[in-house]
Short mmCIF file of all heavy atoms in Angstrom, two decimals:
data_model
loop_
_atom_site.label_atom_id
_atom_site.label_comp_id
_atom_site.label_asym_id
_atom_site.label_seq_id
_atom_site.Cartn_x
_atom_site.Cartn_y
_atom_site.Cartn_z
N SER N 1 -98.53 76.71 53.07
CA SER N 1 -99.02 77.16 54.35
C SER N 1 -100.39 76.53 54.68
O SER N 1 -100.71 76.28 55.87
CB SER N 1 -99.17 78.67 54.38
OG SER N 1 -100.11 79.12 53.42
N ARG N 2 -101.18 76.28 53.66
CA ARG N 2 -102.51 75.67 53.92
C ARG N 2 -102.93 74.73 52.77
O ARG N 2 -103.89 74.99 52.06
CB ARG N 2 -103.56 76.75 54.18
CG ARG N 2 -103.59 77.93 53.18
CD ARG N 2 -104.58 78.98 53.60
NE ARG N 2 -104.74 80.07 52.61
CZ ARG N 2 -103.88 81.09 52.53
NH1 ARG N 2 -102.85 81.17 53.37
NH2 ARG N 2 -104.08 82.02 51.64
N PRO N 3 -102.21 73.65 52.61
CA PRO N 3 -102.62 72.63 51.61
C PRO N 3 -103.99 72.09 51.95
O PRO N 3 -104.31 71.91 53.16
CB PRO N 3 -101.54 71.55 51.73
CG PRO N 3 -101.00 71.70 53.12
CD PRO N 3 -101.06 73.17 53.41
N THR N 4 -104.83 71.88 50.98
CA THR N 4 -106.23 71.56 51.26
C THR N 4 -106.63 70.15 50.79
O THR N 4 -107.33 69.45 51.47
CB THR N 4 -107.16 72.59 50.62
OG1 THR N 4 -106.78 73.91 51.12
CG2 THR N 4 -108.63 72.32 50.89
N HIS N 5 -106.18 69.75 49.61
CA HIS N 5 -106.54 68.43 49.11
C HIS N 5 -105.81 67.36 49.92
O HIS N 5 -104.64 67.54 50.26
CB HIS N 5 -106.16 68.28 47.64
CG HIS N 5 -106.77 67.09 46.97
ND1 HIS N 5 -106.27 65.81 47.12
CD2 HIS N 5 -107.90 66.97 46.18
CE1 HIS N 5 -107.02 64.98 46.43
NE2 HIS N 5 -108.01 65.67 45.85
N PRO N 6 -106.48 66.28 50.28
CA PRO N 6 -105.82 65.22 51.07
C PRO N 6 -104.53 64.70 50.50
O PRO N 6 -103.63 64.34 51.20
CB PRO N 6 -106.90 64.12 51.16
CG PRO N 6 -108.17 64.83 50.96
CD PRO N 6 -107.91 65.96 50.03
N TYR N 7 -104.47 64.66 49.14
CA TYR N 7 -103.21 64.17 48.49
C TYR N 7 -102.10 65.19 48.71
O TYR N 7 -100.95 64.78 49.05
CB TYR N 7 -103.46 63.94 46.99
CG TYR N 7 -102.22 63.52 46.27
CD1 TYR N 7 -101.58 62.33 46.59
CD2 TYR N 7 -101.65 64.32 45.28
CE1 TYR N 7 -100.42 61.94 45.91
CE2 TYR N 7 -100.52 63.92 44.60
CZ TYR N 7 -99.88 62.75 44.93
OH TYR N 7 -98.76 62.35 44.28
N THR N 8 -102.36 66.49 48.55
CA THR N 8 -101.35 67.51 48.77
C THR N 8 -100.87 67.45 50.22
O THR N 8 -99.67 67.54 50.49
CB THR N 8 -101.91 68.91 48.44
OG1 THR N 8 -102.50 68.88 47.15
CG2 THR N 8 -100.79 69.96 48.44
N ILE N 9 -101.80 67.31 51.16
CA ILE N 9 -101.44 67.22 52.55
C ILE N 9 -100.56 66.00 52.82
O ILE N 9 -99.57 66.05 53.52
CB ILE N 9 -102.72 67.14 53.41
CG1 ILE N 9 -103.49 68.46 53.30
CG2 ILE N 9 -102.36 66.84 54.88
CD1 ILE N 9 -104.89 68.42 53.95
N GLY N 10 -100.88 64.88 52.15
CA GLY N 10 -100.06 63.70 52.25
C GLY N 10 -98.67 63.87 51.72
O GLY N 10 -97.69 63.42 52.33
N LEU N 11 -98.54 64.56 50.61
CA LEU N 11 -97.21 64.87 50.06
C LEU N 11 -96.40 65.75 51.02
O LEU N 11 -95.21 65.47 51.26
CB LEU N 11 -97.36 65.61 48.74
CG LEU N 11 -97.79 64.84 47.50
CD1 LEU N 11 -97.86 65.75 46.29
CD2 LEU N 11 -96.85 63.67 47.21
N MET N 12 -97.03 66.73 51.59
CA MET N 12 -96.34 67.62 52.56
C MET N 12 -95.89 66.84 53.79
O MET N 12 -94.77 67.00 54.25
CB MET N 12 -97.28 68.74 53.00
CG MET N 12 -97.68 69.69 51.89
SD MET N 12 -96.31 70.53 51.17
CE MET N 12 -97.11 71.43 49.86
N ASN N 13 -96.74 65.97 54.31
CA ASN N 13 -96.40 65.19 55.47
C ASN N 13 -95.35 64.16 55.25
O ASN N 13 -94.72 63.65 56.23
CB ASN N 13 -97.64 64.57 56.07
CG ASN N 13 -98.62 65.55 56.71
OD1 ASN N 13 -98.23 66.68 57.00
ND2 ASN N 13 -99.90 65.18 56.81
N SER N 14 -95.16 63.76 53.99
CA SER N 14 -94.15 62.73 53.67
C SER N 14 -92.75 63.31 53.51
O SER N 14 -91.77 62.55 53.37
CB SER N 14 -94.52 61.97 52.39
OG SER N 14 -94.48 62.82 51.29
N VAL N 15 -92.64 64.65 53.58
CA VAL N 15 -91.33 65.28 53.54
C VAL N 15 -90.60 65.07 54.88
O VAL N 15 -91.23 65.27 55.91
CB VAL N 15 -91.44 66.78 53.21
CG1 VAL N 15 -90.06 67.44 53.29
CG2 VAL N 15 -92.07 66.99 51.87
N PRO N 16 -89.32 64.65 54.88
CA PRO N 16 -88.65 64.41 56.15
C PRO N 16 -88.70 65.63 57.05
O PRO N 16 -88.41 66.75 56.62
CB PRO N 16 -87.19 64.13 55.71
CG PRO N 16 -87.34 63.60 54.34
CD PRO N 16 -88.49 64.29 53.72
N GLY N 17 -89.13 65.43 58.30
CA GLY N 17 -89.19 66.51 59.29
C GLY N 17 -90.43 67.36 59.23
O GLY N 17 -90.63 68.25 60.03
N ALA N 18 -91.35 67.04 58.24
CA ALA N 18 -92.50 67.93 58.09
C ALA N 18 -93.44 67.90 59.26
O ALA N 18 -94.08 68.90 59.62
CB ALA N 18 -93.28 67.50 56.81
N THR N 19 -93.59 66.74 59.91
CA THR N 19 -94.53 66.61 61.00
C THR N 19 -93.86 66.63 62.35
O THR N 19 -94.46 66.37 63.39
CB THR N 19 -95.34 65.31 60.90
OG1 THR N 19 -94.42 64.21 60.86
CG2 THR N 19 -96.16 65.27 59.61
N GLY N 20 -92.57 66.98 62.36
CA GLY N 20 -91.84 67.03 63.59
C GLY N 20 -91.31 65.70 64.07
O GLY N 20 -90.61 65.62 65.08
N LYS N 21 -91.62 64.62 63.40
CA LYS N 21 -91.17 63.31 63.79
C LYS N 21 -89.82 63.04 63.13
O LYS N 21 -89.58 63.36 61.97
CB LYS N 21 -92.15 62.22 63.34
CG LYS N 21 -93.54 62.39 63.95
CD LYS N 21 -94.48 61.32 63.38
CE LYS N 21 -95.88 61.46 63.90
NZ LYS N 21 -96.81 60.46 63.34
N LYS N 22 -88.94 62.39 63.87
CA LYS N 22 -87.63 62.07 63.33
C LYS N 22 -87.38 60.59 63.17
O LYS N 22 -86.44 60.19 62.49
CB LYS N 22 -86.53 62.66 64.26
CG LYS N 22 -86.56 64.21 64.35
CD LYS N 22 -85.44 64.71 65.19
CE LYS N 22 -85.42 66.23 65.22
NZ LYS N 22 -84.34 66.80 66.04
N ASP N 23 -88.26 59.77 63.76
CA ASP N 23 -88.07 58.34 63.73
C ASP N 23 -88.58 57.67 62.48
O ASP N 23 -88.02 56.71 62.00
CB ASP N 23 -88.65 57.69 64.97
CG ASP N 23 -90.11 58.01 65.18
OD1 ASP N 23 -90.55 59.00 64.60
OD2 ASP N 23 -90.80 57.29 65.94
N ARG N 24 -89.70 58.19 61.94
CA ARG N 24 -90.22 57.56 60.71
C ARG N 24 -90.98 58.62 59.89
O ARG N 24 -91.45 59.58 60.44
CB ARG N 24 -91.08 56.38 61.02
CG ARG N 24 -92.34 56.71 61.83
CD ARG N 24 -93.16 55.45 62.12
NE ARG N 24 -93.65 54.89 60.90
CZ ARG N 24 -94.35 53.71 60.81
NH1 ARG N 24 -94.54 53.01 61.93
NH2 ARG N 24 -94.74 53.27 59.68
N LEU N 25 -91.11 58.34 58.61
CA LEU N 25 -91.84 59.22 57.68
C LEU N 25 -93.30 58.83 57.66
O LEU N 25 -93.66 57.65 57.77
CB LEU N 25 -91.26 59.13 56.26
CG LEU N 25 -89.83 59.58 56.10
CD1 LEU N 25 -89.42 59.34 54.64
CD2 LEU N 25 -89.62 61.03 56.44
N ASP N 26 -94.15 59.83 57.49
CA ASP N 26 -95.57 59.58 57.18
C ASP N 26 -95.68 59.18 55.72
O ASP N 26 -95.08 59.83 54.86
CB ASP N 26 -96.42 60.81 57.47
CG ASP N 26 -96.69 61.01 58.95
OD1 ASP N 26 -96.27 60.12 59.72
OD2 ASP N 26 -97.19 62.04 59.33
N ALA N 27 -96.39 58.14 55.42
CA ALA N 27 -96.58 57.72 54.03
C ALA N 27 -98.05 57.71 53.67
O ALA N 27 -98.90 57.47 54.54
CB ALA N 27 -95.98 56.29 53.85
N ILE N 28 -98.35 57.97 52.41
CA ILE N 28 -99.72 57.91 51.94
C ILE N 28 -100.07 56.41 51.77
O ILE N 28 -99.36 55.70 51.05
CB ILE N 28 -99.88 58.66 50.58
CG1 ILE N 28 -99.50 60.12 50.75
CG2 ILE N 28 -101.30 58.52 50.06
CD1 ILE N 28 -99.46 60.88 49.43
N PRO N 29 -101.13 55.93 52.39
CA PRO N 29 -101.44 54.52 52.31
C PRO N 29 -101.87 54.09 50.88
O PRO N 29 -102.32 54.92 50.10
CB PRO N 29 -102.62 54.35 53.28
CG PRO N 29 -103.23 55.72 53.35
CD PRO N 29 -102.10 56.68 53.22
N GLY N 30 -101.73 52.79 50.59
CA GLY N 30 -102.20 52.26 49.31
C GLY N 30 -101.24 52.58 48.15
O GLY N 30 -100.13 53.07 48.36
N ILE N 31 -101.71 52.30 46.98
CA ILE N 31 -100.92 52.52 45.75
C ILE N 31 -101.80 53.28 44.73
O ILE N 31 -103.01 53.32 44.85
CB ILE N 31 -100.44 51.21 45.14
CG1 ILE N 31 -101.61 50.31 44.76
CG2 ILE N 31 -99.47 50.50 46.05
CD1 ILE N 31 -101.21 49.05 44.00
N VAL N 32 -101.10 53.88 43.77
CA VAL N 32 -101.80 54.58 42.69
C VAL N 32 -102.61 53.58 41.89
O VAL N 32 -102.08 52.54 41.47
CB VAL N 32 -100.82 55.32 41.77
CG1 VAL N 32 -101.54 56.09 40.69
CG2 VAL N 32 -99.96 56.27 42.60
N PRO N 33 -103.88 53.85 41.59
CA PRO N 33 -104.70 52.89 40.82
C PRO N 33 -104.22 52.80 39.35
O PRO N 33 -103.51 53.67 38.87
CB PRO N 33 -106.08 53.49 40.92
CG PRO N 33 -105.92 54.94 41.19
CD PRO N 33 -104.67 55.02 42.04
N SER N 34 -104.59 51.73 38.72
CA SER N 34 -104.16 51.51 37.32
C SER N 34 -104.91 52.50 36.40
O SER N 34 -106.10 52.67 36.49
CB SER N 34 -104.52 50.09 36.88
OG SER N 34 -104.41 49.93 35.51
N PRO N 35 -104.16 53.12 35.48
CA PRO N 35 -104.80 54.03 34.52
C PRO N 35 -105.72 53.31 33.50
O PRO N 35 -106.48 53.95 32.80
CB PRO N 35 -103.59 54.70 33.80
CG PRO N 35 -102.47 53.73 34.00
CD PRO N 35 -102.72 53.08 35.34
N LEU N 36 -105.60 51.97 33.49
CA LEU N 36 -106.55 51.21 32.64
C LEU N 36 -107.94 51.18 33.26
O LEU N 36 -108.95 51.05 32.57
CB LEU N 36 -106.05 49.79 32.45
CG LEU N 36 -104.91 49.56 31.46
CD1 LEU N 36 -104.32 48.18 31.62
CD2 LEU N 36 -105.42 49.79 30.04
N HIS N 37 -107.99 51.29 34.59
CA HIS N 37 -109.30 51.23 35.28
C HIS N 37 -109.28 52.22 36.45
O HIS N 37 -109.13 51.85 37.63
CB HIS N 37 -109.47 49.81 35.83
CG HIS N 37 -109.33 48.73 34.81
ND1 HIS N 37 -110.27 48.52 33.82
CD2 HIS N 37 -108.36 47.81 34.60
CE1 HIS N 37 -109.87 47.52 33.04
NE2 HIS N 37 -108.70 47.07 33.51
N TRP N 38 -109.39 53.52 36.11
CA TRP N 38 -109.47 54.51 37.17
C TRP N 38 -110.69 54.24 38.04
O TRP N 38 -111.75 53.85 37.57
CB TRP N 38 -109.56 55.92 36.60
CG TRP N 38 -108.34 56.42 35.88
CD1 TRP N 38 -108.32 56.95 34.63
CD2 TRP N 38 -107.02 56.55 36.34
NE1 TRP N 38 -107.07 57.36 34.31
CE2 TRP N 38 -106.24 57.10 35.34
CE3 TRP N 38 -106.38 56.18 37.56
CZ2 TRP N 38 -104.86 57.34 35.47
CZ3 TRP N 38 -105.02 56.42 37.70
CH2 TRP N 38 -104.28 57.00 36.65
N PRO N 39 -110.63 54.51 39.37
CA PRO N 39 -111.81 54.37 40.23
C PRO N 39 -112.92 55.33 39.83
O PRO N 39 -112.62 56.42 39.28
CB PRO N 39 -111.27 54.68 41.63
CG PRO N 39 -109.79 54.62 41.50
CD PRO N 39 -109.44 54.93 40.10
N SER N 40 -114.12 55.01 40.10
CA SER N 40 -115.23 55.94 39.88
C SER N 40 -115.13 57.08 40.90
O SER N 40 -114.52 56.97 41.94
CB SER N 40 -116.57 55.23 40.08
OG SER N 40 -116.69 54.72 41.42
N GLY N 41 -115.73 58.23 40.52
CA GLY N 41 -115.71 59.35 41.44
C GLY N 41 -114.32 59.96 41.58
O GLY N 41 -113.60 60.12 40.62
N CYS N 42 -113.93 60.20 42.83
CA CYS N 42 -112.61 60.74 43.12
C CYS N 42 -111.57 59.68 42.98
O CYS N 42 -111.67 58.61 43.55
CB CYS N 42 -112.56 61.34 44.52
SG CYS N 42 -110.92 61.92 45.01
#
């Protein structure tokens, strides 16, 4: 009902029909960073 973290919101929006759109899915931009070199901070 109230996802708060941007990643959780992205997951919810990527579910078919979640945002009311039927023509295309919302996708989280970019790719998961390498676990050998996690980004600093978040």
Side-chain angles (χ1 to χ4, degrees):
S1 63
R2 48 185 185 278
T4 302
H5 194 280
Y7 177 63
T8 310
I9 295 171
L11 287 180
M12 297 298 175
N13 290 340
S14 66
V15 175
T19 58
K21 300 177 183 178
K22 296 184 178 179
D23 54 341
R24 63 180 297 174
L25 297 177
D26 283 352
I28 300 172
I31 60 173
V32 180
S34 168
L36 282 167
H37 307 288
W38 292 127
S40 61
C42 175

